[in-house]
Every structure is written in structure tokens, then in C-alpha cells.
Amino acid sequence: MSVKTILVAHREAAVRDRFASALAEARHASVTADTATALRSAAANRAAPVDLALVDLSLAESPLDLVADVRRGGRRLIPVVVFAGSVSSAEDVQALTALGVTAYINEYATSGQILPALAPHLFPDNFNRRAAARVPVAVPLSYQTGASIAGARTQDIGRGGVAIRTMDPLPLGTQIELTFRLPGSARDITAAGRVAWSDRRVGMGVQFEKITSEAQQFLNAFMDEK
């Protein structure tokens, strides 16, 4: 596995330290920033190029300008993942998408959740094939966050996640537990993940972060048949 350099920019030291520690355990390098000025400087440092930037939008009064500067700061466009808690509106999400930013991460993710969530962005070539494979499937699904349990139907399913039809989607980055059953199956699939996108007009998408090897194999077999 190649070593990557990740720029962690957040106003809270505890968040920066937790992410930096998780990255160090996986033998990746990290650079931290607690202000917009420090973030821009680190992104523009050609002597220590950044492979991925994790950005807290609240560091700047003009967060979209900040993201645009970070994206253009390196020798090539720097991929950006936004801390979900710093997103203030659906308009922000649309504007970020226009800047090429479509990924979000929960700043309160545990150390064990950080690397699985960042892996598709650190090693996109390894995940592109999986991300592209989506099968339209409408089956009942239950999901739980905290003490709240709700039901909905799937829109499509992939090896790494599921899209859910709902008029009441959860906020970006929300940790969620899912249970659903594939067509023709007599067994449930249970997985834990996070909300990767949320749109009241469509629903929400959940990226799996924890799923048993047996459930993953069963899901892979279903996808291979399609």
C-alpha cells in the first residue's frame, strides 16, 4: 500500500488529533490546519504535496472560495472531503458539487471508522469498479440511528452501499444501521454505514462501513448475477 499525505483541517484540536492518529496507525502521513490561512498554505506547499484534504467549511467566512483555493493549490487538483457537520444547507451541497466535491465524512467518526471511509478517496482506482456497479432494486429496508427506527425502500444497491427512497432523509455523515433482504433471499443483510448524500427530493445514499464477511460475500454474489 502506498503512503498518502492527508491534510486535516478542522477548528477543533480533538478532531484533528483523532484523524491524524488514525492515519498514522495506517502508516499514512498527515498535515493539520486550524485556520483558513494554514489550510491554504498547506495545500499550496509544492514541497509536500497533499493527496487528499479534509476540510471544515466553518474555517472561512467564504467556505466555497476556500474549497476552490484548496482544490487548485497543488500541482494537480486536490481531492476534497468535507466534514459533514460544517455543511449548513442543501445549497452548500449543490455548490460543492459544482466545485467537484461530492464526499463527506463525519467529524465524530471513531478511529476504526476513519480509514474505511477515506479508502475510496485515497485509492480511487481500487474502488471505481465497485462504485460503478449499481443494481436498481426496490425492497423493504429498515434503518436505525440512535434510538430511532424507520422503514423505507431501496432505490438501488451496490457492493459498497445502498440508495434509499425517503422523503425524510438523514443529514450528511449520520451513522446508520441497515437491515434489508435481497430479492429471492431468506436471509437478512445487516450493515452499518454513514449517509454519503442526502436530498429531500430523492432520498439518501448510505456507504457501508461495517458489514460481515458473510453478508458481503452474499451481496457480491447477488451483484455478480446481475
Side-chain angles (χ1 to χ4, degrees):
M1 179 181 69
S2 60
V3 175
K4 301 289 185 176
T5 298
I6 297 89
L7 172 54
V8 183
H10 199 278
R11 63 192 181 282
E12 295 182 12
V15 174
R16 299 193 302 273
D17 291 346
R18 183 173 0 100
F19 274 74
S21 177
L23 292 166
E25 288 181 7
R27 300 187 178 181
H28 291 302
S30 64
V31 180
T32 60
D34 60 354
T35 66
T37 299
L39 171 56
R40 285 187 170 98
S41 177
N45 185 357
R46 303 294 179 90
V50 170
D51 295 295
L52 179 69
L54 312 182
V55 178
D56 174 2
L57 298 181
S58 68
L59 290 176
E61 293 184 2
S62 301
L64 298 178
D65 290 340
L66 177 63
V67 170
D69 290 345
V70 171
R71 290 271 288 157
R72 296 191 299 261
R75 296 173 182 170
R76 57 180 178 78
L77 283 177
I78 297 175
V80 169
V81 174
V82 169
F83 285 106
S86 67
V87 178
S88 60
S89 69
E91 287 74 19
D92 282 350
V93 175
Q94 294 172 354
L96 288 167
T97 299
L99 291 174
V101 178
T102 59
Y104 302 85
I105 190 165
N106 187 344
E107 47 267 78
Y108 301 110
T110 65
S111 296
Q113 295 169 333
I114 290 171
L115 262 297
L118 294 181
H121 312 293
L122 292 172
F123 306 101
D125 291 344
N126 294 343
F127 286 80
N128 283 344
R129 182 179 303 175
R130 184 181 74 180
R134 310 291 285 187
V135 175
V137 177
V139 296
L141 170 145
S142 64
Y143 58 92
Q144 179 174 355
T145 176
S148 177
I149 301 176
R153 296 185 73 83
T154 62
Q155 176 176 312
D156 60 52
I157 295 174
R159 288 179 171 84
V162 59
I164 302 172
R165 292 185 181 275
T166 175
M167 298 299 291
D168 190 24
L170 298 169
L172 292 169
T174 301
Q175 297 294 314
I176 183 173
E177 294 184 1
L178 310 169
T179 300
F180 60 95
R181 185 173 295 184
L182 294 172
S185 171
R187 72 173 73 179
D188 289 336
I189 288 181
T190 299
R194 65 178 179 84
V195 176
W197 60 265
S198 182
D199 187 331
R200 289 189 178 278
R201 298 167 300 177
V202 181
M204 61 183 175
V206 176
Q207 177 182 324
F208 297 151
E209 293 183 340
K210 185 177 181 181
I211 185 170
T212 66
S213 58
E214 181 182 10
Q216 185 69 69
Q217 290 172 5
F218 187 65
L219 183 56
N220 290 347
F222 172 80
M223 296 295 296
D224 290 341
E225 293 174 355
K226 302 301 177 180

